[in-house]
Amino acid sequence: MPFSTESTPANRRAYTVLALLLAAVAGTVNATGFVALGVHTSHMSGNMASLGESLALGDGALAFRAAQVLLAFVVGAVCAAALLDASRRRERGRHVAALAVEVVTLAGIGVALDSAPGTRAPVLLWGLAFAMGLQNALVTRVSGAVVRTTHVTGILTDIGIQLVQMFAWVRDGSRGQGVRGVLRRLRALPSAIEFERTRLHLGLGLSFLLGCTGGPLLYLRHGPAALGLPCVVLLLLIGLDLSPAAARGAPRDSTSQA
């Protein structure tokens, strides 16, 4: 299990790199998709709310669009889970198929937007939601449901919880030792797993924000070519997953160890 006391530093570093890069990809895709198509496709809470609101208002067209986005996200998650299950026995390259499908999907959407400027074809929304569902399921499986990268609600919740856990770690470890004990415990805090978890989730939030900022800026300046950036990041991850180092210390799908 990642970020447990049993996981190795090498595995935790690998999870961190994977999660941070994919959070940036999700932020880029989500914000760029909104600028290009007018819909956020990386988090489903808003789309579920839109579905309910549309049903309440009797707006069938808007309800149908929201339902399509939700369904596409679920289909992406199913696709990722199936691909990971099929490759779970490989020593390396276990995540290549899922990452490659995401690359092809995002690249295809970029080409479609470039060939038909201003289009808001529903299939493009489906594609973006599919890619985000696929990515979210990939990271969820790899991290043992510890990390999500396509939305920040859980990340912010975890940060709040972990701040209290860090305080408790310092308090319990310095109980009865006075100010010196507190200072000693604070100096040791960076080695605590509670600190590492907090650092990870802060990094995820910042990576998502970076993607949300950089994606639209690139899209406004360079058009659909902006989707090439997340594709490059995903291709980098594919290369890392195929490297010899992946067999020695890269993240493993936690479900494959059952």
Side-chain angles (χ1 to χ4, degrees):
M1 182 68 70
F3 294 98
S4 69
T5 55
E6 292 80 16
S7 60
T8 66
N11 276 342
R12 293 202 296 272
R13 284 194 297 271
Y15 279 115
T16 299
V17 171
L18 175 69
L20 293 178
L21 289 175
L22 288 179
V25 167
T28 301
V29 171
N30 187 47
T32 304
F34 182 78
V35 173
L37 303 172
V39 176
H40 288 114
T41 55
S42 78
H43 54 282
M44 292 297 106
S45 299
N47 286 296
M48 185 68 77
S50 178
L51 174 60
E53 292 161 3
S54 302
L55 290 173
L57 295 172
D59 189 338
L62 190 57
F64 187 55
R65 187 182 72 170
Q68 289 174 328
V69 173
L70 291 166
L71 179 60
F73 190 93
V74 173
V75 172
V78 170
C79 179
L83 291 172
L84 288 171
D85 187 65
S87 60
R88 67 185 184 279
R89 300 186 185 279
R90 296 178 185 172
E91 282 298 315
R92 57 187 180 183
R94 289 181 294 273
H95 317 116
V96 167
L99 291 170
V101 170
E102 186 174 357
V103 170
V104 171
T105 301
L106 294 179
I109 292 170
V111 171
L113 287 171
D114 187 59
S115 61
T119 182
R120 294 200 172 187
V123 68
L124 301 181
L125 289 177
W126 305 341
L128 289 178
F130 171 85
M132 292 295 92
L134 184 148
Q135 177 176 308
N136 204 40
L138 168 64
V139 178
T140 299
R141 283 281 298 265
V142 169
S143 71
V146 172
V147 171
R148 305 279 200 301
T149 60
T150 62
H151 51 278
V152 297
T153 303
I155 292 172
L156 295 177
T157 302
D158 288 335
I159 289 172
I161 293 170
Q162 289 153 12
L163 287 173
V164 174
Q165 290 177 340
M166 285 196 300
F167 172 81
W169 187 87
V170 173
R171 180 199 61 199
D172 296 343
S174 61
R175 196 182 301 275
Q177 300 177 31
V179 175
R180 289 186 178 180
V182 172
L183 294 176
R184 188 181 307 112
R185 197 66 168 172
L186 286 172
R187 286 195 295 269
L189 182 60
S191 65
I193 197 68
E194 289 82 1
F195 180 85
E196 191 171 354
R197 290 192 185 109
T198 305
R199 183 175 61 187
L200 169 67
H201 285 91
L202 284 170
L204 288 173
L206 291 174
S207 292
F208 193 91
L209 177 60
L210 179 63
C212 288
T213 305
L217 285 175
L218 289 173
Y219 186 83
L220 292 173
R221 293 186 180 183
H222 305 289
L227 287 174
L229 180 60
C231 290
V232 169
V233 173
L234 294 170
L235 289 172
L236 172 63
L237 290 175
I238 288 174
L240 291 173
D241 199 35
L242 289 172
S243 69
R248 297 194 297 268
R252 297 184 64 88
D253 181 349
S254 60
T255 60
S256 68
Q257 299 172 3

